[in-house]
Amino acid sequence: MSALLPVADGRTTWAAARRLLRPHRGRLALVAGLLLLAAAAGLAVPALLGVLVQTATTGGSLAVVGACVAGIVAAALAAAALGALGQTQMARVTESALAALREDVVDRVLHLPAGQVEAAGEGDVVARVSGDVETVGEAATGVLPAVTAALFSVVVALAGLGALDWRFAVGALAALPLQLWSLHRFRRRTPPVYAEARRAEGDRAQAVLQAVHGAPTVLALRDADAHLDAVAATSRTAIAAEMRGATLVGRFANGANLAEALGLGGVLVAGYLLVASDTAGVGAATAAALVFHRLFGPMGVLLFQADDLALAGAGLARLVGVAEGSPARPAPPGRGTGVPAITLRDAAFAYRPDLPVLDGVTLDVAPGERVALVGTSGAGKSTLARLVAGTLQPTAGRVDVGDVPAHAVHRTRPGRVVLVDQDVHTFTGPLAADLRLAAPDADDATLAAALDAVGATWWADLPGGLAEPLGPEGTTLRADQAQQLALARVLLADPPVVLLDEATADLPRSQQAALDTALDALLAGRTAVVVAHRLDQAVRCDRVVVLESGRVVEQGAPADLLAADGPFRTLWSAWRGAGGGDEGVTPPTSPRRSAAPLR
Ligand code: ADP
């Protein structure tokens, strides 16, 4: 099977981020202005404190002191308010950009070829649309605005230091080497420790779940102590791993603190030298030291949240990979270029290399023909239907729909093959919206006709009719009603090839006959493969194909197979013996041609 879904490279990710942010340029300029003002107002606090010190040391007037104090209070309030406003505005921008990306990703995932999703595994798809969206979302609304504000503060403060005297800025740079080294060491050492911690937590959860799920057995066998020991041992390992992580964080914090002390020392030494040489006043030296001290917070944010940003960046690349790397939204479904044939040539399939499920299946389904697949459970019927649907790819041989390999149909001719199985999903929302998934432009009369055609006349009794909300807020459909809804969607989508995998097996007996009539209408004029659980459904098809252990063992017109003493006749007798067709199914009796020989 092929690889996971694509991941965008750095350049594509940046380009996508820029494109997502482009509609918000105005607000981003506002954010930059607000954060710049906030940083400048923040800088005014130490600057005014410096003036205060200078005034006190040179015996200045009390009025200046009062003005400075008032200025400091005003600057602190303004810095806090502007910073908060800037960060909120930024969160609004990133939130709506992310909402656009999330819509894109979900839209693309819904239209991904089923084969690609199958190959990538549901886990990868779910991880992207939930886990990555969450990681990027948290970073976009929390970490990113905080880091941006911190970056503005650091840059503006360094510029302020330089404006006081460039030598203060040089003194402050004494912090940089140790900061970079600590960060480098932290980033190099943490991934294996965090991975180990996650593994250890997984083991602990597994041990707990095993003990809980198997509690009755564990207690019956008086094996509780052994299980408690296992939980305790895995817990100790998990705690040790957590502690190693916490130690690394502590060391990193120590390094960062030491770097700040070095930087502050550098600024103070520069101040001492400048004051001693009369190049700067005590007030300026005090202001410089306080400006640098104010940097501790923002620098901490930058150092400690860099990893969260890196993680969010990786998540963004995975989201952009799906949003940009997948084929475009398919054209609306429909007949396209006529009704195609289905051709299987020596097709084989195995879920595991050592266990072939289908072996050398050769089958031709003519355009418009309806073929029933029958056989005992596990014979490979559903697997064959999935090969034709293109959600699985043959491990050997060919499976074509028309002149295209089945697994490529979704990409090249979307909407031409529809598979309905027992696993029917009903979407929350109005009934009409659920139906319009298949035919977005259909009017209410068309939707109602489709429901009536598949026997779903119950829709007219719903309090809201077609507008009735489905799901917990409104009506919850029974399994058989959901299946009828799925069939109505097929009718509306109007695909030339329909695959039904025991799609009506859940229906109560009383409704089966009505639905069979509806199926006749639904499948007329389409190429259809019906995995038939009920053999009375098989005999309504043009041809019956009997599968046994992944091979075609018999095929022919239903009446012919019933007349012959072969596998289908055996299945039919067993089914009737088990109560199948109690309600008077009459097998077709007029053989049109003799049964095909066993393959
Ligand atoms: P049928 O529809 O005739 O009951 P299936 O095609 O569902 O048969 O299954 C054929 C064989 O393949 C069975 O042995 C089944 O256990 C196995 N099988 C089906 N699906 C999977 C899967 N996803 N992974 C592994 N084995 C599977």
Side-chain angles (χ1 to χ4, degrees):
M1 289 269 169
S2 69
L4 297 180
L5 299 172
V7 176
D9 59 18
R11 195 136 51 98
T12 317
T13 308
W14 267 116
R18 279 204 305 276
R19 201 171 45 254
L20 286 167
L21 291 175
R22 200 168 297 144
H24 309 284
R25 267 177 303 195
R27 200 182 285 273
L28 279 176
L30 176 72
V31 168
L34 286 170
L35 292 181
L36 208 61
L37 284 177
L43 208 58
V45 175
L48 287 170
L49 278 170
V51 175
L52 206 59
V53 170
Q54 191 68 31
T55 313
T57 51
T58 54
S61 77
L62 215 57
V64 176
V65 173
C68 280
V69 170
I72 288 169
V73 172
L77 289 176
L82 290 167
L85 197 60
Q87 291 200 34
T88 322
Q89 291 296 325
M90 173 130 192
R92 277 182 64 177
V93 169
T94 46
E95 183 108 292
S96 54
L98 186 68
L101 178 63
R102 190 171 12 203
E103 272 175 26
D104 255 11
V105 170
V106 172
D107 188 52
R108 296 295 172 120
V109 164
L110 286 177
H111 291 96
L112 275 180
Q116 198 178 349
V117 175
E118 186 104 15
E122 269 179 50
D124 191 29
V125 177
V126 173
R128 294 199 194 205
V129 292
S130 60
D132 287 333
V133 165
E134 202 175 309
T135 312
V136 177
E138 278 171 9
T141 51
V143 179
L144 190 60
V147 166
T148 313
L151 203 62
F152 270 89
S153 301
V154 170
V155 171
V156 169
L158 284 177
L161 274 185
L164 279 171
D165 191 300
W166 62 270
R167 279 158 288 201
F168 288 128
V170 172
L173 287 180
L176 201 59
L178 185 54
Q179 274 175 334
L180 292 181
W181 182 73
S182 301
L183 185 61
H184 172 71
R185 206 169 67 136
F186 181 67
R187 297 190 72 174
R188 194 162 44 88
R189 294 197 173 175
T190 40
V193 175
Y194 283 169
E196 156 87 42
R198 275 199 298 277
R199 208 170 29 248
E201 274 168 30
D203 288 348
R204 177 179 52 186
Q206 181 70 14
V208 171
L209 283 176
Q210 260 179 7
V212 172
H213 284 316
T217 318
V218 168
L219 292 175
L221 296 176
R222 296 177 197 280
D223 205 17
D225 285 345
H227 281 266
L228 284 176
D229 286 348
V231 171
T234 49
S235 293
R236 276 195 295 274
T237 315
I239 292 169
E242 291 283 349
M243 291 293 287
R244 273 200 296 283
T247 308
L248 286 183
V249 172
R251 283 202 194 133
F252 178 45
N254 283 345
N257 287 343
L258 192 61
E260 284 164 359
L262 281 177
L264 192 56
V267 173
L268 288 175
V269 167
Y272 174 78
L273 293 175
L274 290 171
V275 172
S277 63
D278 263 347
T279 319
V282 176
T286 309
L290 291 174
V291 166
F292 187 75
H293 183 260
R294 282 183 65 86
L295 281 183
F296 287 8
M299 283 193 308
V301 169
L302 290 184
L303 289 178
F304 277 94
Q305 304 208 331
D307 269 1
D308 292 338
L309 267 194
L311 216 59
L316 187 64
R318 286 157 52 83
L319 290 180
V320 171
V322 175
E324 314 243 315
S326 318
R329 179 189 254 281
R335 297 286 172 132
T337 53
V339 179
I342 298 169
T343 329
L344 286 90
R345 288 284 169 273
D346 280 325
F349 184 81
Y351 293 97
R352 286 178 21 199
D354 52 329
L355 271 183
V357 168
L358 291 176
D359 194 12
V361 176
T362 292
L363 187 66
D364 287 290
V365 184
E369 189 184 17
R370 193 191 321 178
V371 163
L373 285 182
V374 302
T376 50
S377 177
K381 305 182 293 292
S382 294
T383 305
L384 200 156
R386 272 163 187 71
L387 284 179
V388 179
T391 55
L392 298 176
Q393 230 172 302
T395 37
R398 289 186 66 88
V399 179
D400 292 338
V401 173
D403 52 0
V404 182
H407 64 267
V409 169
H410 288 286
R411 203 171 55 246
T412 55
R413 307 204 181 141
R416 287 184 46 86
V417 179
V418 169
L419 168 75
V420 186
D421 58 19
Q422 279 177 297
D423 198 11
V424 174
H425 189 70
T426 312
F427 295 89
T428 304
L431 171 61
D434 195 310
L435 289 165
R436 285 204 176 94
L437 287 171
D441 302 325
D443 57 19
D444 280 0
T446 313
L447 302 184
L451 285 170
D452 290 341
V454 296
T457 44
W458 42 261
W459 75 266
D461 299 327
L462 295 174
L466 285 175
E468 174 72 4
L470 301 182
E473 306 282 299
T475 297
T476 305
L477 297 185
R478 292 191 313 266
D480 55 292
Q481 291 174 323
Q483 278 175 340
Q484 284 173 321
L485 188 58
L487 294 180
R489 284 200 295 248
V490 176
L491 204 56
L492 288 163
D494 193 24
V497 180
V498 176
L499 312 168
L500 297 180
D501 188 355
E502 317 225 342
T504 58
D506 272 355
L507 292 184
R509 276 276 167 78
S510 55
Q511 295 185 14
Q512 286 173 356
L515 198 78
D516 283 346
T517 316
L519 276 182
D520 287 346
L522 172 66
L523 299 181
R526 307 178 204 275
T527 311
V529 175
V530 179
V531 174
H533 182 68
R534 293 185 290 118
L535 295 192
D536 54 341
Q537 209 173 40
V539 298
R540 300 174 77 90
C541 293
D542 301 318
R543 186 156 43 118
V544 172
V545 171
V546 186
L547 275 185
E548 236 176 66
S549 305
R551 289 176 168 276
V552 176
V553 290
E554 188 183 38
Q555 58 176 308
D560 297 347
L561 295 195
L562 282 171
D565 193 16
F568 184 66
R569 174 89 211 175
T570 313
L571 284 172
W572 176 267
S573 307
W575 181 70
R576 291 300 299 268
D582 275 353
E583 294 173 8
V585 173
T586 326
T589 46
S590 55
R592 280 178 280 173
R593 47 184 182 258
S594 57
L598 300 190
R599 280 179 49 84

